[in-house]
Amino acid sequence: MKIKTKLNAGVGLLFFMIIVLSTLGGWFIYQLKKDTQNILTDNYNTLQYSRNMLLSLEEIGKEPFAMAEFQKNLDLQRQNITEDGEKEATKNILAHFSDLKKDKENLSLQAAIRKDIAELMQLNMNAIQIKSGIANTTAQNAIAVISIAGTLCFLIAFILMVNLPANISNPIRELTSSIHQIAKQNYRERVQFESNSEFGELAKSFNTMAEKLQEYSESRIDKILKGKKRIETLIDNMHDAVIGIDENRKVLFVNDEALKISGLKRENFVGKLIQDVAVSNDLVRDLIKEIINPDAEKNPAELLKIFVEGKENYFEKEILDINVIPTGENDSRFIGQVIMLRNITPFKELDLAKTHFIGTVSHEFKTPISSIQMGLQLLENEKIGSLNEEQQKLIKGIDEDALRLLKITSELLNIAQLETGVSQLNIRQFKIGEIIEEVIKTNRSAADKRQISIITDIDSDLEIINADQEKTLWVLNNLVSNAVRYSNGQSDVIIKVEKIGLENVKFSVKDQGLGIEEKYLKDIFTRYFRVPGTKTEGTGLGLSISKEFIEAQGGSISVESEVGNGSIFSFILKMK
Ligand code: ADP
C-alpha cells in the first residue's frame, strides 16, 4: 500500500472514530434527556396538579375560589394522562368532584376524592420510580457503550501510532544505511522494501543505481588490471633494467632484464627492502648509492660496465622520483622511485667503432702530412732552387694548412687513444728548458705573424721534472698556441714556470687577449666546447685533452680570465 494511502486511511479512521464516539455520546445524552423529560412532563405535572387539588379541597367551604381552582387543576390533569390506571383514577376524581359540587359539605365525598388523588399520586410516583430506573439503565448502557467504543478507538489509535511512523522511518533508516555502504564503495549493497509503496519505487531506483555503480566499478577495475598487465608486459620486455621501489624502499617490481644482470631470483628481490638485497649483491649496492646517501656527489656521466651472458654491456643509470598529487589535494606526495639501467651497449659499440675509425684515419694522416711538411721544407731550401714571391706565398699558405691539419689529427688521435684507453703514461725525467724551447719553436712563426712576443719566466733553480714529456709538451704547446691564436696583435704571451712548495711545479701561460666570460669558464675543459662567437678556427678538443693528460699524471689544470684583459691557463705537476 502506498504511504500516502496509509496516511489517509489512518487519519480517516481516527476522524471516523471521533465522529462515532461523538454520535454515540450525543445519542445517549439525548436518551437520558428524553427519560428525564418524560418524568417531568408525565409525572411531575400530575403530582403538581394533585397537590393543588388537595390544597383546594381543604379550602372548599372556606374560600369561594377553591371549587374553581380544583376544577382548573382537574381539567389540566385530564389532559395529562400518561400512565396505566391514571385514566380510571382521574375519572373517579371527576365523578366524586361532580357529586361534591352538589353537596359541598359532604365529608365522605371529600375523603373519597382525597383517596382518589392519593391513588393518582401513587400511580405517578411508581411511574417516576420505573422511569428513573430506565434512565439509570440508559446511563449505564451509555457508559458501557462509550467505554467499549473509546477502548476500541484507543486501541486502533495506539496501533496506528506504533505502526505508521515505523512504516515510514524504517525504510528511511534502511535506505540511509545502504547509502552509507555505497559511499564506502560497497556496491553489492541492495535494499528490499514492500514493492507497492513509494519506498518500493525508491528501493528499485536505488538498486538500479547500485547495480550500475557495481557494473562501472567492476569494468573500471578490469580496465585497471588490464592496463597494469600491459605495463608489466612492456616493462618485462624492455632491454633496459627497471626496478621500482616504494617510499619505504621496498622493491615493488623488477623486470626480467634487471634479474638477468643482477643474477638474482625474483622471489629474493620483490617485496624485500632494497638495502637488504644490496647486502649480498654488488650491482644493487652500486645502484642504490645515491638513494641511500642523497648528499653524495652525483656523476651523471658514470657508466656501468656489466658482463651479461659472457658479453660486456654498458648501462647508464637513472633514478626517477615518483611524485603524485592525491585526489582533492594540492601538494604532491613522494610515493617511490624507479631505478633504470639504460642499455647503451649498441651505442657504445658504435661509438667505439667511430673512435677506432678516427684513430686509424688520424694515424694514417700523420705520415702524408709529415711528407708534405718535409717537401715544403725542401722547396723552401734555396739550394734546390729559388722561388718567386708568388710561389713563396703559396708555399707559406700550404705550410700553415699542413700545420693546422697536423694539430687537428694530433687532437683526434689523442681523443681516440683516450677513449679506447690505449693512451699510456711514460713518466721519466726531462729538462723543463727542452719543452719550453720546443713550444717556442713551434709557435714562433704564428706569433711573429701577429707581432706577439713569447716571453719566458722560469724559476732559476728549476731544471728537471719527472713527468710524461710528450704529453706535458703537448699541453703546454696547446696552451701557448691558444694564447697566440686568441690574442690581439702586438701583445705578449708569458710562459711562467715556478716552484710551488717543495714538490710541485706550476706552468702558466698568460696572454693579453680577448679573455673569457665567467659563465663559460666552467665548460671550457669540456670536449667540443668553444666559447660562442669564437671566430678563430678550432675543434674545441685541445683543452679537454690537456685536462685529461694533466689529471692522468696526478696534476691539475685551471684558468683565470677577464674579458678584455686576457687569460691565464696553468697546470701543476709533481716534480718527482
Ligand atoms: P679550440 O682552440 O680548438 O677551439 P680548445 O679546447 O683549445 O679548442 O679551446 C676551447 C675554447 O676555449 C676555444 O674555442 C676558445 O673559445 C676558448 N679559449 C681557449 N683558450 C683561450 C684563450 N687563451 N683566450 C680566449 N679564449 C680561449
Side-chain angles (χ1 to χ4, degrees):
M1 200 194 284
K2 294 221 182 282
I3 298 291
K4 194 180 160 198
T5 324
K6 268 186 195 168
L7 280 172
N8 282 343
V11 174
L13 192 61
L14 285 173
F15 193 64
F16 172 74
M17 287 181 324
I18 291 167
I19 291 175
V20 168
L21 272 179
S22 345
T23 316
L24 273 174
W27 188 75
F28 279 112
I29 290 166
Y30 172 73
Q31 287 303 315
L32 279 172
K33 189 192 155 221
K34 215 168 82 182
D35 288 349
T36 49
Q37 190 69 40
N38 279 348
I39 294 170
L40 198 72
T41 48
D42 297 357
N43 310 104
Y44 177 79
N45 288 347
T46 303
L47 289 175
Q48 189 69 36
Y49 303 146
S50 305
R51 181 180 160 271
N52 290 344
M53 282 190 287
L54 279 174
L55 288 172
S56 309
L57 197 63
E58 291 305 316
E59 298 300 321
I60 289 174
K62 294 173 211 161
E63 276 291 333
F65 307 113
M67 286 300 279
E69 186 62 28
F70 192 98
Q71 186 62 56
K72 190 181 123 196
N73 281 296
L74 183 61
D75 290 344
L76 285 170
Q77 169 54 28
R78 281 172 68 194
Q79 283 158 25
N80 188 31
I81 290 168
T82 52
E83 310 303 325
D84 291 342
E86 201 175 336
K87 203 173 174 184
E88 283 75 37
T90 310
K91 254 186 195 166
N92 287 344
I93 297 170
L94 186 63
H96 289 133
F97 185 61
S98 304
D99 293 343
L100 191 68
K101 273 188 215 167
K102 291 166 201 156
D103 183 7
K104 285 184 187 161
E105 299 302 323
N106 190 337
L107 289 174
S108 63
L109 272 175
Q110 281 185 13
I113 291 171
R114 256 189 221 104
K115 204 178 147 211
D116 292 339
I117 291 173
E119 190 159 339
L120 181 69
M121 285 174 84
Q122 187 59 49
L123 266 173
N124 276 286
M125 269 159 37
N126 286 346
I128 283 174
Q129 213 166 11
I130 291 165
K131 282 180 185 169
S132 153
I134 290 170
N136 240 353
T137 317
T138 309
Q140 273 171 5
N141 285 347
I143 289 168
V145 170
I146 289 173
S147 301
I148 291 168
T151 312
L152 263 176
C153 289
F154 172 79
L155 281 175
I156 292 170
F158 186 77
I159 290 166
L160 278 178
M161 195 184 80
V162 170
N163 284 329
L164 211 56
N167 242 307
I168 298 168
S169 68
N170 285 351
I172 291 177
R173 204 179 317 122
E174 203 179 320
L175 195 69
T176 312
S177 110
S178 299
I179 289 170
H180 281 150
Q181 289 300 322
I182 294 279
K184 282 183 201 156
Q185 302 193 340
N186 179 8
Y187 300 128
R188 294 184 185 281
E189 180 72 13
R190 297 286 182 276
V191 282
Q192 310 294 344
F193 297 144
E194 202 186 311
S195 62
N196 51 358
S197 76
E198 283 93 335
F199 284 117
E201 281 168 35
L202 189 64
K204 227 163 108 186
S205 309
F206 180 88
N207 289 345
T208 314
M209 179 195 77
E211 213 166 294
K212 289 219 156 61
L213 278 174
Q214 189 182 349
E215 244 176 58
Y216 170 70
S217 123
E218 276 165 9
S219 72
R220 206 182 46 165
I221 288 170
D222 187 52
K223 256 189 210 159
I224 293 169
L225 282 175
K226 274 188 191 151
K228 188 173 168 267
K229 272 264 163 288
R230 258 181 235 131
I231 292 168
E232 276 173 1
T233 315
L234 192 81
I235 292 174
D236 265 346
N237 286 298
M238 275 166 78
H239 289 297
D240 300 334
V242 184
I243 302 165
I245 56 172
D246 68 9
E247 64 272 38
N248 302 317
R249 297 184 189 144
K250 197 166 93 178
V251 180
L252 296 176
F253 58 85
V254 178
N255 74 348
D256 292 348
E257 188 69 18
L259 292 174
K260 201 158 81 182
I261 64 169
S262 65
L264 285 164
K265 287 202 170 110
R266 197 177 288 274
E267 58 268 28
N268 298 333
F269 216 150
V270 180
K272 302 265 174 351
L273 288 175
I274 196 145
Q275 55 265 44
D276 293 347
V277 181
V279 173
S280 57
N281 191 289
D282 293 343
L283 174 68
V284 178
R285 198 178 315 139
D286 202 27
L287 287 181
I288 63 165
K289 260 191 310 199
E290 284 166 41
I291 298 174
I292 301 293
N293 187 9
D295 300 329
E297 209 183 305
K298 284 176 193 162
N299 185 0
E302 191 190 357
L303 286 188
L304 291 163
K305 193 156 100 180
I306 303 164
F307 272 89
V308 185
E309 293 169 345
K311 194 182 145 215
E312 241 177 26
N313 276 258
Y314 293 89
F315 292 91
E316 202 177 63
K317 181 172 74 173
E318 194 176 352
I319 298 175
L320 302 170
D321 285 351
I322 306 171
N323 294 300
V324 292
I325 301 175
T327 318
E329 288 181 26
N330 294 325
D331 303 325
S332 68
R333 198 150 50 95
F334 173 75
I335 58 159
Q337 285 167 308
V338 172
I339 306 165
M340 281 181 76
L341 281 182
R342 215 165 278 136
N343 193 338
I344 53 158
T345 314
F347 302 107
K348 190 72 189 168
E349 283 168 353
L350 282 174
D351 191 48
L352 267 178
K354 173 218 75 185
T355 310
H356 280 304
F357 174 75
I358 291 174
T360 315
V361 170
S362 359
H363 187 74
E364 293 303 318
F365 273 13
K366 267 178 105 177
T367 325
I369 294 168
S370 300
S371 308
I372 292 169
Q373 280 182 318
M374 225 145 66
L376 287 170
Q377 271 172 12
L378 285 173
L379 278 173
E380 277 170 349
N381 191 338
E382 293 207 341
K383 284 180 194 159
I384 294 171
S386 57
L387 300 169
N388 63 31
E389 215 171 297
E390 198 59 33
Q391 286 167 328
Q392 274 178 2
K393 262 189 191 170
L394 278 170
I395 294 289
K396 220 171 180 186
I398 297 170
D399 199 16
E400 278 169 13
D401 284 343
L403 251 179
R404 207 160 50 227
L405 211 55
L406 198 64
K407 184 176 182 287
I408 293 170
T409 44
S410 133
E411 282 175 352
L412 288 174
L413 192 60
N414 280 330
I415 280 286
Q417 284 176 348
L418 282 169
E419 282 188 3
T420 49
V422 174
S423 175
Q424 275 180 357
L425 283 179
N426 182 15
I427 307 282
R428 60 184 175 84
Q429 286 197 340
F430 63 89
K431 284 187 182 156
I432 293 172
E434 270 178 27
I435 59 164
I436 303 281
E437 244 175 67
E438 180 80 33
V439 167
I440 294 172
K441 205 172 109 194
T442 314
N443 290 283
R444 172 142 305 139
S445 95
D448 286 350
K449 223 172 107 185
R450 309 183 64 200
Q451 290 170 300
I452 291 170
S453 322
I454 302 175
I455 302 165
T456 53
D457 174 7
I458 303 165
D459 223 334
S460 55
D461 52 327
L462 264 176
E463 249 187 81
I464 308 273
I465 184 171
N466 197 29
D468 186 314
Q469 186 178 359
E470 203 184 320
K471 290 190 170 58
T472 312
L473 169 67
W474 196 96
V475 174
L476 195 62
N477 194 32
N478 182 60
L479 295 184
V480 174
S481 142
N482 278 354
V484 172
R485 286 193 302 138
Y486 299 114
S487 277
N488 304 315
Q490 294 177 325
S491 62
D492 296 339
V493 166
I494 304 163
I495 304 171
K496 192 172 176 186
V497 185
E498 59 192 311
K499 221 174 158 185
I500 303 278
L502 291 172
E503 295 185 335
N504 298 320
V505 182
K506 182 177 179 183
F507 293 81
S508 44
V509 178
K510 184 174 189 252
D511 65 57
Q512 296 163 339
L514 310 167
I516 304 160
E517 275 187 68
E518 204 192 327
K519 61 178 173 184
Y520 299 125
L521 289 178
K522 63 177 184 344
D523 298 317
I524 208 89
F525 295 104
T526 311
R527 255 176 224 180
Y528 303 107
F529 178 82
R530 307 199 74 217
V531 171
T534 305
K535 291 196 179 72
T536 317
E537 281 176 23
T539 56
L541 287 170
L543 286 177
S544 72
I545 295 169
S546 302
K547 187 172 189 277
E548 289 192 46
F549 277 178
I550 295 300
E551 284 177 356
Q553 296 180 66
S556 64
I557 191 165
S558 60
V559 59
E560 292 163 51
S561 189
E562 211 179 302
V563 178
N565 274 340
S567 320
I568 308 173
F569 281 87
S570 36
F571 61 89
I572 298 173
L573 288 176
K574 277 205 168 66
M575 220 152 45
K576 285 177 187 157

